[in-house]
């Protein structure tokens, strides 16, 4: 399994494009994880719209992009981890 982790902060439109890209893949053995840093631009609404296409997601304050990436790693269960950040 491949864990695809998307880290986001206030990138609503870019997040939407990234989610669409990941969920349109034909390879089925993907665990999709979105880590949002408590965005205030409507990103959480985008996440909720596509939540049925994700295995895990969280939206909470963090200490920056690397903290968000580490949160994603902690949630991942795949044999491989790929970061596909919003945008």
């Amino acid at each position: 399994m491949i864990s695809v982790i998307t880290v986001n902060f206030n990138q609503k439109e870019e997040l939407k494009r990234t989610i669409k890209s990941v969920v349109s893949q034909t390879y089925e053995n993907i665990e999709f994880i979105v880590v949002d840093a408590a965005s205030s631009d409507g990103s959480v609404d985008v996440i909720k719209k596509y939540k049925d296409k994700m295995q895990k997601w969280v939206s909470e304050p963090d200490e920056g992009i690397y903290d968000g990436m580490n949160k994603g790693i902690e949630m991942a269960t795949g044999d491989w981890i790929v970061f596909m950040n919003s945008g």
Side-chain angles (χ1 to χ4, degrees):
M1 177 181 307
I2 298 172
S3 296
V4 177
I5 300 170
T6 296
V7 178
N8 179 71
F9 180 61
N10 285 334
Q11 297 285 322
K12 176 184 170 183
E13 292 305 317
E14 292 83 356
L15 175 63
K16 189 183 305 183
R17 284 195 302 271
T18 302
I19 290 172
K20 287 180 179 182
S21 175
V22 173
V23 302
S24 71
Q25 300 304 306
T26 57
Y27 184 73
E28 295 180 8
N29 206 7
I30 293 176
E31 172 186 51
F32 188 28
I33 300 167
V34 175
V35 180
D36 178 72
S39 293
S40 60
D41 69 340
S43 291
V44 175
D45 294 329
V46 172
I47 293 168
K48 288 179 179 179
K49 179 178 178 181
Y50 293 97
K51 71 180 181 180
D52 62 321
K53 306 286 186 188
M54 301 169 196
Q55 282 61 49
K56 300 171 187 166
W57 70 274
V58 65
S59 180
E60 62 189 21
D62 62 32
E63 301 292 322
I65 190 167
Y66 297 113
D67 186 34
M69 292 169 83
N70 285 325
K71 286 180 184 185
I73 290 169
E74 290 174 10
M75 290 189 279
T77 62
D79 298 312
W80 295 91
I81 295 175
V82 176
F83 290 97
M84 184 154 208
N85 295 338
S86 58

